[in-house]
Amino acid sequence: MTDVALPKKAATVALVKCGSYEYAEVKEAVAKGLELIGGAASLVEPGQKILLKPNLLTAEPPEKCVTTHPAVFKAVAQALMKNGPKLVYGDSPALGSTEKAARKAGIMSVAEELGIELADFKKGGEVIFVSGIQNKKFVIAQGVLDCDGMVSLPKFKTHGLTMLTGAIKNQFGCIPGVLKGEFHVKLPRLEDFARMLVDLNCLLRPRLFVMDAVMAMEGNGPRGGNPRHMGVLLFSTDPVALDATAGRLVGVCPDEVPTLKYGQESGLGVWKSEVIEIVGDSLAELRVEGFVRGKKATSFEGGSQRLRNFVVPRPRIKAEECIQCGICREMCPLKPSAVDWMKDNKSMPPVYNYNRCIRCYCCQELCPEGAIEIYTPWPGRLLAPLRPRH
């Protein structure tokens, strides 16, 4: 009988239990995770300028689980600093300033304690990326361009458009300010938006990804969902393998997430379990049952706009939870907005013009009250099983 050769492992993902954000526990978990993937010395060198890129979606306190926890930021920073690099940090929030988001998230106070400067995420420079499969040009925050390398610190959450937000999606914050919204307008199809995120990661190539999933977010993420204890930190140099493994922990098949499909096709990383080596703690032991997934966004090719309105998932305001803040209108990347006040009556929830709405879900993503849900009309629910999976 001929032995069947097993496939060579192409990526390593370290899973390390971490039950709380008590700093001693987080510090120990980070040290273990870095050792499992080769040590910090293999990733940074003395004198190099390294950017720490947390998820700072918007200004929310750590307990909301919207942003990377400051204990994770601190533990990774201190572990890297032992090897002599100059660390800076930053992100371009979807709403508000970097300073306000970092201060509210508790990241700024840690950075000041450790002497880590805030990088410039307001200005940007154009970068030509000839190797991009779909996107050949990006404007990247100056703070990213000024560095020798990046360490990405994503928060694990559900996401209205991409289903999950983790290692790959975290780099979208390297595009400054309102320019992020322009990508939603130019690339309204989920598949094209996913390809853009993959091209962006192929350009930036962070050296390390440390995912904060001690407390994750389930449900109506990435801002309005519910905190969910997972008790794990994930480490890898491969963002595709990392996101695929995080998805498996909560019952999401990688072939449902388009960034993973295109990430493997582009050479960014791998998602198939047989070529991912899991080290540290057991994936089976850390699996989370009953994790509330976000609604899966879909594209619908062909047909009239009216037909698409009956099939494609759309944002919907829950009137009883809406506080009429107007952020949904403000965050719509279309001009004029696809959401507006009802005859200038701000005492009523805004209303959507679904003939204009491109289903980017930016409004749902940034609603401070979680008052916007992604709703699939019944014809779309009937057709969903017939759509091809990614």
Side-chain angles (χ1 to χ4, degrees):
M1 180 177 178
T2 304
D3 290 336
V4 177
L6 295 175
K8 182 180 179 181
K9 301 297 184 182
T12 300
V13 176
L15 301 178
V16 181
K17 289 180 185 177
C18 186
S20 76
Y21 288 117
E22 290 293 328
Y23 186 63
E25 185 175 7
V26 175
K27 184 178 181 180
E28 182 179 350
V30 166
K32 180 180 177 182
L34 291 176
E35 182 181 356
L36 285 167
I37 61 169
S42 67
L43 301 165
V44 298
E45 298 177 8
Q48 289 185 329
K49 189 174 184 180
I50 302 296
L51 173 75
L52 297 180
K53 167 61 179 71
N55 181 328
L56 295 174
L57 176 70
T58 190
E60 293 283 13
E63 59 268 21
K64 287 286 195 73
C65 297
V66 174
T67 54
T68 306
H69 198 278
V72 176
F73 178 89
K74 181 177 181 179
V76 173
Q78 288 194 314
L80 295 177
M81 290 172 78
K82 293 177 182 178
N83 295 278
K86 174 179 172 54
L87 299 182
V88 296
Y89 78 102
D91 188 15
S92 177
L95 180 66
S97 69
T98 305
E99 292 87 348
K100 183 177 179 181
R103 186 178 300 109
K104 193 71 176 285
I107 297 287
M108 180 174 283
S109 61
V110 170
E112 290 174 345
E113 174 191 342
L114 300 180
I116 303 173
E117 297 177 0
L118 181 63
D120 182 2
F121 272 70
K122 295 177 181 178
K123 298 191 295 292
E126 186 176 284
V127 178
I128 303 300
F129 184 44
V130 294
S131 300
I133 295 175
Q134 174 182 274
N135 302 268
K136 308 289 186 180
K137 181 172 68 174
F138 289 96
V139 175
I140 302 297
Q142 194 61 47
V144 179
L145 299 178
D146 290 342
C147 288
D148 299 309
M150 183 193 312
V151 171
S152 184
L153 306 175
K155 183 77 170 179
F156 186 56
K157 301 181 287 183
T158 49
H159 193 275
L161 182 63
T162 59
M163 185 178 289
L164 299 175
T165 177
I168 295 174
K169 181 71 167 56
N170 195 40
Q171 278 57 253
F172 195 41
C174 293
I175 296 172
V178 297
L179 296 178
K180 292 190 291 294
E182 293 179 6
F183 277 102
H184 286 292
V185 177
K186 291 188 293 185
L187 304 170
R189 293 177 69 250
L190 170 59
E191 292 79 6
D192 295 333
F193 189 78
R195 287 188 179 97
M196 179 275 296
L197 292 174
V198 168
D199 279 339
L200 179 62
N201 275 264
C202 288
L203 168 63
L204 298 176
R205 293 283 180 180
R207 298 182 182 187
L208 169 67
F209 300 84
V210 180
M211 179 180 285
D212 174 7
V214 178
M215 292 293 297
M217 179 179 285
E218 65 178 357
N220 193 26
R223 186 184 186 184
N226 299 311
R228 177 66 185 269
H229 184 263
M230 288 182 64
V232 62
L233 294 174
L234 299 89
F235 304 76
S236 187
T237 57
D238 182 330
V240 181
L242 187 64
D243 281 350
T245 302
R248 289 184 174 103
L249 286 175
V250 298
V252 173
C253 295
D255 62 0
E256 296 183 78
V257 185
T259 49
L260 302 183
K261 173 189 175 182
Y262 301 128
Q264 181 162 289
E265 289 178 357
S266 71
L268 178 63
V270 295
W271 63 262
K272 293 187 176 180
S273 59
E274 58 265 30
V275 291
I276 299 174
E277 180 184 14
I278 303 295
V279 297
D281 293 306
S282 163
L283 190 149
E285 186 180 351
L286 289 165
R287 278 201 176 97
V288 176
E289 300 297 329
F291 190 88
V292 181
R293 298 161 39 158
K295 295 290 183 67
K296 183 180 179 182
T298 57
S299 295
F300 180 76
E301 301 300 324
S304 65
Q305 179 63 46
R306 183 171 180 175
L307 178 59
R308 287 195 289 273
N309 287 343
F310 279 106
V311 175
V312 179
R314 63 195 186 202
R316 184 173 71 173
I317 296 173
K318 295 180 281 187
E320 68 278 8
E321 298 179 22
C322 177
I323 61 171
Q324 292 87 49
C325 65
I327 287 177
C328 54
R329 183 176 182 272
E330 177 186 345
M331 295 312 302
C332 178
L334 297 175
K335 304 301 176 193
S337 175
V339 56
D340 210 342
W341 299 111
M342 218 174 159
K343 296 182 180 179
D344 296 323
N345 183 359
K346 293 189 178 183
S347 65
M348 297 289 289
V351 294
Y352 285 94
N353 179 345
Y354 289 118
N355 289 329
R356 284 184 51 74
C357 176
I358 60 174
R359 274 61 169 182
C360 66
Y361 311 114
C362 290
C363 54
Q364 175 267 342
E365 180 175 340
L366 274 304
C367 177
E369 301 299 314
I372 301 176
E373 61 183 354
I374 298 176
Y375 168 75
T376 305
W378 68 264
R381 295 196 294 272
L382 288 176
L383 292 172
L386 304 178
R387 295 194 186 103
R389 297 172 73 188
H390 294 290

